[in-house]
Amino acid sequence: MKKIFLNKQQILLLVFFLILFSCKDKTTEDAKINDLLSKMTLQEKIGQMNQLNGRNPNENLFEQIRKGEAGSILNAEKPELVNQLQKISVEESRLGIPLLIARDVIHGYKTIFPIPLGQAASFNPDIVEKGARIAAIESSEYGIRWTFAPMIDISRDARWGRIAESFGEDTYLSECLGVAMVKGFQGDDLSQPSSIAACAKHFVGYGAAEGGRDYNSTFIPERLLRNVYFPPFESAVKAGCATIMTSFNDNDGVPSSGNKFILKDVLRDEWKFDGVVVSDWASVREMIKHGFCANESEATISAVNAGLDMDMVSYCYIQCLDSLVKAGAVSEKIIDNAVRNILRLKFRLGLFDHPYIDTNEKSKAYCEDHLQAAKQAATESFVLLKNEKNTLPLSSSIKKLAIIGPLADAPHDQMGTWCFDGDKTKIQTPLNAFREIYGKDVEIIYEQTLAYSRDKNKSAFPKAISAAQKSDAIVVFVGEESILSGEAHCLAELNLQGEQSTLIKELKKTGKPIIMVVMAGRPLTIAEEVDLSDAVLYAWHPGTMGGPAIADMIFGKTVPSGKLPVTFPKYVGQIPMYYNHNNTGRPAKRTEILLNDIPLEPRQSSLGCTSFYLDAAFDPLFPFGYGLSYTTFEYKDLKLSSDNLNKTDTLSVKFTLSNTGKYDATEIVQLYVRDMVGSITRPVKELKAFERIFLKSGERKEINMQLPIQQLAFWNIDFKKTVEPGDFQLMLGTNSIEGLKADFKVK
Ligand code: NOJ
């Protein structure tokens, strides 16, 4: 290919024209918006700010659309209905403005990917992006052009049912994966028919609900908001995320839907967000129940003045805004701004040019490419937590395999939370997969034993025991049904439900190797069951292709690589438990449980006065970033490019990684940094970079990771985001507690 070289002048000219074109684009966009806005009545403007529920469409809904009283409809479930609603809006309303059709497309539309918490365990932005792309392709066929994802709430509490929807406890990981999901949904160009607008939610702090109880209040001070909870949202905005949803919680007494600080000062003024802010379901009206507003009018004033553009189904805006503007309580300028944001999104999505969908087009749902991507995502999401004496993978000497438990063949539960549109008949369960893929060589003996995870009926236990006795190994599928996690599905106890634990204890008595596969929407407190098992694979709710992905891993066709995106506590009472906590003045040293060894009438200070529990010590069951492989990796020769850096430098971190085991495999290398002393106390470590590295058995590679020093910036005592000079400790390794260490200074 002939190379073209440009001289300096030509490059400048090119840059000039590029800038000119992008400004022109912006002016055309603004001109189109302003032109339309100038034709709108106040009522029509308010109509754009109103989102209605399309679940039970009736003449009343059609009439509202006809009158221009709806800017968006969520949950219109059929393509024909979407076209019908669009037709009314485009052809029968005065200005013919198309509707924004929205739906919760969270981890797949038809082809279901693992729950987001499972996807996070892959530490793989590419597979997360691909999953979102596929979800966009499948859902846009149904006329959906706006999803309410990614959910990027930092979640440090496994009791909270919505942890399943999140990317876990870490800010940096949530940033990377949130951006990947936004890119996947929105594609390269929002105006393409298969692109759908993303929505970063829930702004903000929702995951910190007190006691892990959904919708509960949060008390997050501004600095913590800025250092931990804001960054995933700021990164999503920078990546072009089209919309943001406010959260249900009140933080320090202010419900998010009426919080001017987060919506105006931060989102609009600091981050320059020009997309749409939508409330969560009825959260504008809920400000009355919060006791923050006395009535619908006050709630409307509070939300609209804070900068909330669209009211999701609480009808406050449509009922109150007209008279509030006329009474001077809300300025029309604020309304115009909100409507501009909404129209801008409609123009960017190309809805004015292509409001309808072609219902005759062949659907791509469940096509081979989508299924294979879902399988890969599931494979990469699995975390091997234990593998005593290399129990896994199972060898060819296994001739009879007992498949036992309530989740071995539970298509509905395998999909996980927030799956309105996945077809359960398309789900490939582990039982099917073992039979279909491995049934020729291995006799599969199946006993469901418990009908579902909460089942307390033990009458089928004898059959399970006899199946186990006849077999060479047992794979027991336990965990939780999908309904036990997700919105408003919080738990105060995280033990295995029903009689699942007893089942494992009974199986143990057979002396056969036990492989425990856990399907769940959150970390469960399974210390005892882990002890009883020879191998443990955490499979989350793995989606459509979870079955074959599990079967292949059990038989060694694939090798586990997933790492925990969240700390697993031993006991619920240890929550909140997260790896990047502060050190305290008295960090814990002991890991043993002391409760029963305390002598009678000891001295008050005899136990050492450190930050731990007498009955649970302080260490987790499994730390953040933990996950085993069938192979082994060795980290060596850590070298930093310098141990004395400027704030503008980039640190090169070199090391060699060797695959010292028998399997080709991927290792997720994690780089953590501790800022030793700060103007405020700093976490004991923070994830700053990660990389997936594939090595063949016996292979050795020199790796070079880059860490821009700017990434060590934080909001300090003066509320400035800065890198403070001083000493830092770097840790590079296979999880958040094991690794090679090196120190450096920043000037
Ligand atoms: C309430 C949930 O909190 C939110 O995440 C979801 O997108 C909306 N309902 C719409 O279904």
Side-chain angles (χ1 to χ4, degrees):
M1 203 174 73
K2 209 175 144 203
K3 285 193 180 151
I4 302 171
F5 293 100
L6 299 179
N7 65 30
K8 217 172 168 186
Q9 254 177 343
Q10 287 169 319
I11 293 175
L12 282 176
L13 212 65
L14 193 71
V15 171
F16 173 76
F17 278 116
L18 284 176
I19 295 174
L20 199 73
F21 277 127
S22 65
C23 290
K24 192 168 158 273
D25 256 19
K26 180 101 187 78
T27 354
T28 341
E29 184 182 87
D30 287 346
K32 283 197 279 190
I33 295 169
N34 287 333
D35 179 50
L36 185 51
L37 199 63
S38 69
K39 295 182 185 136
M40 294 171 82
T41 63
L42 177 61
Q43 260 308 326
E44 282 165 336
K45 291 177 188 172
I46 295 166
Q48 286 302 307
M49 298 166 73
N50 188 29
Q51 186 178 53
L52 295 173
N53 188 5
R55 188 162 290 142
N56 299 308
N58 53 27
E59 191 44 47
N60 189 22
L61 177 75
F62 304 153
E63 189 51 22
Q64 282 173 289
I65 298 174
R66 203 169 283 128
K67 290 203 311 223
E69 289 179 2
S72 171
I73 304 287
L74 81 161
N75 298 333
E77 287 171 25
K78 300 222 164 59
E80 294 75 20
L81 174 64
V82 169
N83 276 346
Q84 184 189 0
L85 301 179
Q86 282 295 27
K87 192 163 186 296
I88 298 174
S89 201
V90 171
E91 294 176 26
E92 299 174 33
S93 77
R94 192 179 76 91
L95 290 170
I97 303 175
L99 295 163
L100 266 170
I101 303 293
R103 179 88 161 153
D104 287 283
V105 180
I106 307 298
H107 52 109
Y109 184 64
K110 293 287 176 189
T111 308
I112 302 300
F113 278 63
I115 52 167
L117 190 62
Q119 291 187 43
S122 74
F123 280 62
N124 187 354
D126 293 343
I127 193 73
V128 171
E129 183 175 338
K130 186 150 192 191
R133 187 84 289 276
I134 287 171
I137 292 170
E138 294 188 352
S139 58
S140 59
E141 285 178 357
Y142 280 67
I144 294 156
R145 296 300 305 283
W146 183 14
T147 179
F148 301 126
M151 194 269 232
I152 42 180
D153 294 313
I154 300 303
S155 310
R156 294 169 161 182
D157 192 332
R159 293 170 297 181
W160 190 50
R162 301 197 78 168
I163 194 172
E165 283 173 67
S166 79
F167 294 124
E169 74 189 31
D170 185 64
T171 300
Y172 178 66
L173 184 62
S174 300
E175 276 184 83
C176 298
L177 302 184
V179 165
M181 213 177 235
V182 169
K183 285 191 191 157
F185 284 133
Q186 300 194 167
D188 298 329
D189 172 1
L190 211 48
S191 71
Q192 288 303 305
S194 70
S195 292
I196 65 176
C199 181
K201 70 187 189 186
H202 306 83
F203 199 49
V204 66
Y206 184 39
E210 274 202 328
R213 191 157 48 78
D214 211 359
Y215 316 123
N216 207 0
S217 300
T218 59
F219 297 91
I220 313 172
E222 183 179 337
R223 216 179 339 254
L224 194 61
L225 279 177
R226 290 190 178 274
N227 282 328
V228 173
Y229 293 86
F230 281 173
F233 288 92
E234 187 175 4
S235 293
V237 168
K238 277 199 193 126
C241 184
T243 73
I244 300 274
M245 184 188 290
T246 58
S247 56
F248 282 126
N249 56 301
D250 59 323
N251 186 45
D252 197 16
V254 185
S256 296
S257 297
N259 190 331
K260 189 171 151 299
F261 164 65
I262 60 166
L263 299 183
K264 186 168 179 316
D265 303 351
V266 175
L267 188 58
R268 299 287 184 196
D269 296 348
E270 287 182 32
W271 301 348
K272 310 286 177 234
F273 178 64
D274 72 354
V276 174
V277 176
V278 63
S279 75
D280 202 343
W281 188 280
S283 68
V284 173
R285 184 179 296 265
E286 282 173 16
M287 289 198 282
I288 303 171
K289 286 229 173 91
H290 272 288
F292 188 69
C293 303
N295 50 42
E296 283 81 357
S297 289
E298 274 192 17
T300 302
I301 297 175
S302 180
V304 85
N305 285 345
L308 196 151
D309 303 320
M310 190 179 280
D311 172 7
M312 185 191 286
V313 308
S314 84
Y315 314 107
C316 284
Y317 281 16
I318 200 78
Q319 281 167 19
C320 309
L321 266 179
D322 187 61
S323 49
L324 288 171
V325 172
K326 287 180 180 144
V330 171
S331 81
E332 193 158 350
K333 208 169 137 224
I334 285 197
I335 306 281
D336 284 353
N337 270 340
V339 178
R340 262 197 202 95
N341 295 336
I342 295 162
L343 295 178
R344 187 178 302 117
L345 178 57
K346 292 186 176 185
F347 278 116
R348 286 184 183 172
L349 282 166
L351 283 172
F352 286 89
D353 299 327
H354 307 287
Y356 303 116
I357 36 165
D358 182 354
T359 47
N360 294 319
E361 262 214 8
K362 191 170 176 288
S363 170
K364 294 191 194 65
Y366 302 116
C367 67
E368 198 46 32
D369 183 34
H370 294 189
L371 292 178
Q372 285 316 314
K375 185 175 173 196
Q376 189 194 341
T379 302
E380 292 185 10
S381 76
F382 300 154
V383 187
L384 182 66
L385 294 176
K386 180 176 180 183
N387 198 15
E388 205 107 295
K389 297 195 199 117
N390 295 327
T391 305
L392 287 179
L394 292 181
S395 71
S396 51
S397 66
I398 301 286
K399 295 295 171 217
K400 284 187 183 174
L401 186 64
I403 304 288
I404 294 173
L407 284 142
D409 192 29
H412 174 79
D413 292 318
Q414 187 174 319
M415 285 196 276
T417 184
W418 284 112
C419 283
F420 297 134
D421 304 286
D423 178 352
K424 138 175 165 176
T425 65
K426 301 277 184 190
I427 299 294
Q428 305 194 24
T429 67
L431 178 65
N432 300 147
F434 277 115
R435 280 182 175 151
E436 270 170 34
I437 314 174
Y438 297 95
K440 264 197 277 106
D441 304 317
V442 182
E443 187 187 335
I444 306 292
I445 313 175
Y446 171 57
E447 286 299 336
Q448 182 181 11
T449 320
L450 296 164
Y452 52 102
S453 69
R454 289 162 297 149
D455 192 1
K456 294 197 173 123
N457 179 354
K458 294 192 283 186
S459 59
F461 275 30
K463 277 169 124 187
I465 308 300
S466 123
Q469 276 160 345
K470 279 186 250 158
S471 305
D472 302 314
I474 308 161
V475 188
V476 58
F477 286 85
V478 292
E480 51 180 18
E481 301 145 70
S482 60
I483 194 66
L484 298 183
S485 63
E487 184 178 348
H489 294 101
C490 302
L491 290 168
E493 292 293 346
L494 299 176
N495 298 332
L496 285 178
Q497 298 282 338
E499 291 296 335
Q500 298 181 97
S501 196
T502 327
L503 174 62
I504 294 172
K505 283 179 197 137
E506 291 303 314
L507 292 174
K508 177 76 183 169
K509 291 182 191 158
T510 65
K512 301 290 165 110
I514 300 182
I515 297 133
M516 172 166 76
V517 179
V518 185
M519 283 193 195
R522 53 157 69 79
L524 294 173
T525 47
I526 45 169
E528 202 183 350
E529 296 80 2
V530 169
D531 273 351
L532 294 170
S533 306
D534 297 272
V536 178
L537 189 68
Y538 218 81
W540 317 100
H541 287 136
T544 307
M545 295 296 285
I550 291 173
D552 281 351
M553 195 167 279
I554 299 277
F555 278 105
K557 201 165 159 197
T558 56
V559 177
S561 61
K563 303 277 186 176
L564 295 179
V566 61
T567 305
F568 272 45
K570 282 184 191 151
Y571 307 92
V572 169
Q574 293 175 305
I575 295 173
M577 193 175 212
Y578 47 95
Y579 83 95
N580 48 354
H581 55 84
N582 291 349
N583 203 31
T584 80
R586 296 188 173 190
K589 289 193 203 91
R590 297 171 190 268
T591 51
E592 68 274 27
I593 290 177
L594 286 182
L595 194 63
N596 299 326
D597 299 329
I598 303 173
L600 287 182
E601 300 187 4
R603 273 186 20 252
Q604 172 70 30
S605 61
S606 61
L607 302 179
C609 294
T610 64
S611 179
F612 78 113
Y613 298 102
L614 289 177
D615 55 350
F618 76 95
D619 53 326
L621 179 58
F622 297 108
F624 176 86
Y626 183 81
L628 305 169
S629 172
Y630 293 158
T631 196
T632 43
F633 290 101
E634 195 176 72
Y635 288 71
K636 262 195 178 157
D637 305 327
L638 173 63
K639 276 192 213 82
L640 306 187
S641 53
S642 164
D643 58 4
N644 203 358
L645 295 114
N646 289 313
K647 288 184 185 179
T648 48
D649 289 345
T650 291
L651 175 68
S652 292
V653 181
K654 280 198 184 144
F655 62 100
T656 49
L657 183 70
S658 312
N659 180 342
T660 47
K662 292 201 201 96
Y663 296 84
D664 301 349
T666 296
E667 165 74 330
I668 296 168
V669 174
Q670 302 159 45
L671 191 158
Y672 297 87
V673 176
R674 175 167 184 185
D675 185 348
M676 301 307 289
V677 178
S679 62
I680 56 166
T681 54
R682 306 287 293 125
V684 292
K685 64 191 67 156
E686 290 174 297
L687 184 70
K688 291 292 171 189
F690 57 85
E691 225 171 285
R692 293 173 55 87
I693 297 182
F694 175 80
L695 291 181
K696 289 197 163 303
S697 159
E699 193 182 347
R700 208 178 85 129
K701 218 185 211 168
E702 186 151 299
I703 316 281
N704 191 351
M705 288 172 83
Q706 304 295 312
L707 177 69
I709 295 302
Q710 271 311 311
Q711 231 178 281
L712 306 178
F714 67 100
W715 289 84
N716 73 0
I717 191 79
D718 302 319
F719 277 96
K720 286 211 179 79
K721 190 174 181 193
T722 183
V723 182
E724 289 187 342
D727 293 334
F728 292 81
Q729 185 175 69
L730 181 144
M731 191 191 87
L732 182 93
T734 187
N735 61 51
S736 63
I737 57 168
E738 293 169 82
L740 304 174
K741 290 187 178 150
D743 298 330
F744 64 93
K745 275 187 197 310
V746 174
K747 289 180 257 185

